[in-house]
Amino acid sequence: MPQVSASEVLPMWQHLSQRHWPEWGPLLRGQDDQQALDRQAGLAPVLLAFGQHLGLAADSLHCLPTAQRAALAVEWARSLCWRLTVPVLGLLVRHGIGLGVPAARLPLLLDADCRVAAWSWPADLAAQDLTAAPDAAITDWLHNWLAETWRPLIDELVQCGQADSRLLWQVLAGYWQWWLEQAVLQGADPLETAAEHRQQLALAIVRQRDWPALVARIQPGSRSGRNPLYAPWRRGQDADGQPILQPRLCCHRDRLPGVATCPGCPLAGSPHKNEKPRS
């Protein structure tokens, strides 16, 4: 597979984002912009610092009730999912460039409240040029990215945060679907059919319900071929009967101080919605 040198990756993203999504250009940065998260230390210290910033009085994640710790991990994962999917899927769809970074080498940059603010591209890592790749190769690249980057991150959040992996895959799939359906082709030439085709290949990740080959890569040992990224949203109604999109699973973010319930919460009105978290 042809490669794109590390020195070309950042200018390529900066050019693309400045033209179409200037507010999201800073999501991918150079290595010297700010201190990256120490991946050797793991995500547990970050989750704890994030929780303390929200107002949780705990000196250790283990001091938190299990349900609250899980909600914390899912809430923190929102920033991770958004910051990674926009540049990666943006460059893949618009330019056919694959930015796959193994989780262990992923330099995450944090903001003041310990959410993921951005990430940087390793100087010694080349990107994949998929502009002339067949459909099967692009799909395989997407599977590899999910397996080598997302599966380890999600596994770690499950381990240190006691989060439900189904929720974490749903959060990723929600950002994935929104970005691809609503914004990734913003400003594109109507004749840019190759980009539209790559968009559809990437959307298949959240539209195909049963996908044993993908499940084997990201959930090894699973007895089901059900794709965990399938259809993160369902159609519902708000209190006034207006149509809204609802996540399929409740993330219980209201268990965190100062964090509001999602507008389309699937458990809105449930008598168990605001139960005190149990350990």
Side-chain angles (χ1 to χ4, degrees):
M1 191 74 66
Q3 295 187 327
V4 178
S5 67
S7 62
E8 298 175 83
V9 169
L10 189 58
M12 190 178 298
W13 167 249
Q14 289 173 337
H15 176 72
L16 179 64
S17 60
Q18 285 170 5
R19 287 187 61 193
H20 305 296
W21 323 297
E23 68 272 31
W24 297 325
L27 298 186
L28 179 62
R29 305 179 186 175
Q31 280 196 311
D32 298 327
D33 279 359
Q34 66 188 81
Q35 183 64 41
L37 168 68
D38 181 7
R39 292 293 295 124
Q40 298 298 319
L43 296 180
V46 178
L47 289 183
L48 178 60
F50 175 54
Q52 291 170 338
H53 181 84
L54 291 179
L56 295 176
D59 296 326
S60 166
L61 287 178
H62 298 288
C63 296
L64 297 174
T66 301
Q68 195 170 55
R69 195 190 331 170
L72 182 69
V74 173
E75 185 63 22
W76 182 85
R78 294 177 189 276
S79 63
L80 175 69
C81 294
W82 173 243
R83 269 64 177 183
L84 283 184
T85 53
V86 166
V88 172
L89 295 180
L91 279 173
L92 176 68
V93 170
R94 297 300 288 267
H95 287 316
I97 303 301
L99 302 184
V101 184
R105 297 199 55 203
L106 182 63
L108 297 174
L109 308 174
L110 305 179
D111 60 19
D113 64 1
C114 292
R115 297 177 192 266
V116 177
W119 56 289
S120 59
W121 183 255
D124 61 340
L125 194 62
Q128 300 296 310
D129 184 349
L130 300 165
T131 52
D135 292 359
I138 295 174
T139 297
D140 188 60
W141 184 89
L142 286 165
H143 287 195
N144 285 338
W145 184 48
L146 288 166
E148 295 178 7
T149 300
W150 286 105
R151 176 191 159 196
L153 290 169
I154 286 177
D155 285 350
E156 187 173 355
L157 287 169
V158 169
Q159 181 178 8
C160 68
Q162 300 298 302
D164 185 337
S165 65
R166 298 175 303 162
L167 271 174
L168 294 167
W169 286 115
Q170 176 183 266
V171 170
L172 171 59
Y175 285 113
W176 185 298
Q177 181 174 337
W178 178 87
W179 173 234
L180 288 171
E181 289 185 343
Q182 304 296 325
V184 76
L185 291 181
Q186 178 181 320
D189 187 317
L191 300 178
E192 200 173 338
T193 56
E196 291 181 357
H197 187 67
R198 288 190 292 265
Q199 176 204 32
Q200 294 304 310
L201 290 175
L203 275 171
I205 296 292
V206 296
R207 289 179 174 174
Q208 185 165 325
R209 175 174 176 171
D210 298 308
W211 207 331
L214 172 60
V215 174
R217 298 290 308 278
I218 64 177
Q219 291 184 319
S222 172
R223 298 180 180 180
S224 169
R226 175 72 177 264
N227 175 11
L229 291 109
Y230 171 70
W233 306 99
R234 64 185 177 188
R235 298 190 182 278
Q237 292 183 338
D238 63 15
D240 298 321
Q242 297 300 311
I244 57 171
L245 289 177
Q246 296 179 314
R248 290 189 174 275
L249 299 172
C250 179
C251 61
H252 298 291
R253 65 199 307 246
D254 61 325
R255 289 173 170 167
L256 302 172
V259 180
T261 299
C262 299
C265 177
L267 293 186
S270 167
H272 304 293
K273 176 62 184 172
N274 295 310
E275 279 186 349
K276 181 179 179 181
R278 286 175 256 173
S279 59

